[in-house]
């Protein structure tokens, strides 16, 4: 596929889809959180092979590995944390590589603190001080990232064993987060559906709550388009379609300012090599939210980012309905993590593009809201598209 630009249907591509909207349903005197019906949004006619096998056991239960295989792409998903364990696709010469980092065995994921490939929530990213107020009640979460709460808590959604069922061309995974889980209010029913059709892998996140609660779900895959074992991503070209970004304080909490990217190292509207971008950047690397939409903007699936690895020809394009994308350059990997095939994952050995609500939105009234109320449905979609140039 020449060019790798745009978000039309592409034969040589992989897409992970996720959309963001809250839809009201009729109110009731007593709210009962009912199971969410998994929806399969995939289109087209090609059949996808879907298989499952045991992957081991953790304290929470038995873990399955689901394999989605089309003629173009093979994806492995674990019921532990809805982890995308591998994505195998071809380069321009037809060589197939796994382009996401992770572990060979379940033990690695069970003890993992880096969120490799996982679904993170209830609230992805950071909440300042682990504190927030809902309906006049203050909640205190455990802090697990300096003074802040990160990615749902000490045992967030990434450590839960989800219930899985086959859907057409994919798998639907469900989880019930009880009232008070990790300090969050209300029972929350969550479902994510992964479907693969041809070159398209789509993930669709849904949730409903018995009490008002913040929610912000994303996938935390670490990508290296040269192959998961390659040393760094300095030779990858990145562009992000954002006019502004969120400056952060010394603990990576947004200051509240929405700053234009113009004239700054954060102006990635044209492609730049990641290695060249890191040199003038203050701090260890990128770990910032880029603003794709503003408060009050209508829902739309927007182009967000494009990453190209010129040597292999692989291209990753991202679109999302979420108002932000966190660009993270694996600043805190240090070579101590032993991954697939004995690979040691070092600083800047991968990148993440976490489509999400803006960080700490629960404490920033001027940011797009991340609140889910009883009688509403949380729904979001994101698209990762792999092609070659």
């Amino acid at each position: 596929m020449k060019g790798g630009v745009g978000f039309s249907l592409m034969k040589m591509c992989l897409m992970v889809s996720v959309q963001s909207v809250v839809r009201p349903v009729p109110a009731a005197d007593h709210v009962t959180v009912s199971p969410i019906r998994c929806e399969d949004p995939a289109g087209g006619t090609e059949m996808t092979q879907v298989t499952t096998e045991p992957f081991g056991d953790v304290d929470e239960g038995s873990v399955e590995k689901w394999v989605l295989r089309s003629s173009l792409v093979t994806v492995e998903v674990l019921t532990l944390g809805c982890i995308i364990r591998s994505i195998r696709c071809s380069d321009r010469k037809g060589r197939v590589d796994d382009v996401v980092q992770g572990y060979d065995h379940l033990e690695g994921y069970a003890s993992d603190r880096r969120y490799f490939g996982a679904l993170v929530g209830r609230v992805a990213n950071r909440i300042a001080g682990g504190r927030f107020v809902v309906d006049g009640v203050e909640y205190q979460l455990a802090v697990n990232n300096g003074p802040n709460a990160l990615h749902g808590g000490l045992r967030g959604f990434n450590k839960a064993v989800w219930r899985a069922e086959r859907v057409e061309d994919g798998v639907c995974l469900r989880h019930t987060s009880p009232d008070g889980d990790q300090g969050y209010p209300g029972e929350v029913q969550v479902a994510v559906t992964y479907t693969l059709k041809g070159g398209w892998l789509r993930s669709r996140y849904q949730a409903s709550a018995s009490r008002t609660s913040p929610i912000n779900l994303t996938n935390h895959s670490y990508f290296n388009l040269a192959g998961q074992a390659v040393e760094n991503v300095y030779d990858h070209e990145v562009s992000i379609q954002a006019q502004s970004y969120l400056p952060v304080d010394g603990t990576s909490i947004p200051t509240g300012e929405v700053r234009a990217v113009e004239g700054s190292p954060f102006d990635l509207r044209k492609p730049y090599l990641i290695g060249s971008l890191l040199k003038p950047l203050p701090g260890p690397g990128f770990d910032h939210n880029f603003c794709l939409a503003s408060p009050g903007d209508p829902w739309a699936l927007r182009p967000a980012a494009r990453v190209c690895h010129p040597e292999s020809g692989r291209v990753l394009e991202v679109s999302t309905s979420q108002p932000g994308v966190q660009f993270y350059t694996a600043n805190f990997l240090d070579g101590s993590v032993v991954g697939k095939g004995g690979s040691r994952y070092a600083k800047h050995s991968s990148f993440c593009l976490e489509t999400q609500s803006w960080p700490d939105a629960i404490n920033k009234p001027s940011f797009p809201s991340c609140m889910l109320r009883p009688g509403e449905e949380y729904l979001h979609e994101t698209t990762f598209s792999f092609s070659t140039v």
Side-chain angles (χ1 to χ4, degrees):
M1 183 76 182
K2 295 291 183 182
V5 179
F7 293 84
S8 60
L9 301 180
M10 294 184 285
K11 288 198 172 186
M12 294 300 295
C13 72
L14 158 69
M15 290 199 155
V16 175
S17 130
V18 185
Q19 129 191 354
S20 164
V21 67
V22 174
R23 302 189 299 198
V25 297
D29 292 335
H30 301 285
V31 175
T32 300
V33 180
S34 57
I36 294 170
R37 182 176 65 86
C38 293
E39 299 183 42
D40 175 11
T45 58
E46 180 181 322
M47 294 299 296
T48 296
Q49 181 183 0
V50 181
T51 60
T52 183
E53 61 188 69
F55 196 68
D57 296 291
V58 294
D59 291 343
E60 291 76 11
S62 297
V63 177
E64 299 169 343
K65 180 176 73 174
W66 288 73
V67 182
L68 315 183
R69 183 179 290 109
S70 74
S71 60
L72 302 175
V73 175
T74 300
V75 179
E76 295 182 358
V77 178
L78 302 182
T79 54
L80 176 65
C82 298
I83 289 167
I84 296 178
R85 180 176 176 267
S86 73
I87 298 174
R88 299 183 63 83
C89 55
S90 300
D91 66 7
R92 70 160 69 89
K93 296 180 180 179
R95 172 177 169 168
V96 176
D97 283 303
D98 186 353
V99 297
V100 293
Q101 294 180 333
Y103 302 97
D104 287 324
H105 306 293
L106 180 60
E107 291 78 8
Y109 291 106
S111 60
D112 175 51
R113 296 182 298 166
R114 311 291 186 172
Y115 307 94
F116 283 108
L119 186 154
V120 290
R122 284 186 195 185
V123 176
N125 217 307
R126 297 168 178 87
I127 295 176
R131 294 188 299 271
F132 61 88
V133 176
V134 174
D135 296 334
V137 178
E138 181 173 304
Y139 294 88
Q140 177 65 59
L141 312 175
V143 295
N144 60 337
N145 183 248
N148 306 314
L150 176 70
H151 290 334
L154 299 175
R155 295 193 69 81
F157 289 177
N158 61 304
K159 294 301 184 184
V161 176
W162 294 54
R163 307 180 304 278
E165 63 178 277
R166 180 171 178 164
V167 296
E168 185 177 355
D169 300 312
V171 58
C172 174
L173 303 106
R174 307 172 187 271
H175 174 58
T176 300
S177 175
D179 187 12
D181 186 13
Q182 301 299 300
Y184 288 96
E187 178 182 288
V188 172
Q189 297 274 353
V190 189
V192 59
T193 305
Y194 297 108
T195 52
L196 178 67
K197 191 170 283 259
W200 295 64
L201 170 67
R202 299 181 174 184
S203 56
R204 183 181 183 90
Y205 298 81
Q206 300 164 263
S208 60
S210 65
R211 296 169 59 194
T212 301
S213 179
I215 189 164
N216 179 26
L217 306 177
T218 194
N219 176 265
H220 206 294
S221 289
Y222 289 70
F223 293 100
N224 188 319
L225 299 182
Q228 63 86 24
V230 175
E231 183 179 9
N232 60 60
V233 292
Y234 297 152
D235 59 351
H236 288 48
E237 294 177 342
V238 62
S239 58
I240 297 178
Q241 300 304 309
Q243 305 292 323
S244 56
Y245 76 102
L246 301 181
V248 296
D249 65 17
T251 67
S252 297
I253 293 292
T255 62
E257 178 187 2
V258 180
R259 185 179 297 176
V261 299
E262 183 76 34
S264 79
F266 297 89
D267 190 349
L268 307 183
R269 291 173 292 179
K270 295 181 180 180
Y272 293 94
L273 287 172
I274 291 178
S276 68
L277 290 168
L278 293 173
K279 293 177 182 178
L281 193 72
F286 287 97
D287 192 6
H288 297 79
N289 181 82
F290 287 76
C291 305
L292 306 173
S294 300
D297 283 354
W299 177 89
L301 193 63
R302 300 175 176 88
R306 180 180 187 269
V307 182
C308 176
H309 181 240
E311 184 175 342
S312 68
R314 291 191 182 95
V315 176
L316 167 62
E317 292 171 299
V318 182
S319 63
T320 186
S321 60
Q322 290 289 71
V325 60
Q326 187 88 0
F327 179 41
Y328 173 55
T329 47
N331 309 323
F332 302 110
L333 295 182
D334 57 8
S336 63
V337 174
V338 180
K340 300 173 189 173
S343 302
R344 288 192 174 271
Y345 298 143
K347 181 179 180 179
H348 302 156
S349 62
S350 55
F351 65 90
C352 303
L353 290 165
E354 305 159 59
T355 56
Q356 59 177 5
S357 297
W358 295 3
D360 200 35
I362 186 65
N363 293 314
K364 304 280 194 303
S366 62
F367 285 7
S369 175
C370 65
M371 300 304 296
L372 177 64
R373 296 172 175 81
E376 296 176 338
E377 181 190 18
Y378 173 93
L379 174 67
H380 95 246
E381 296 185 1
T382 291
T383 302
F384 294 148
S385 162
F386 287 86
S387 60
T388 57
V389 292

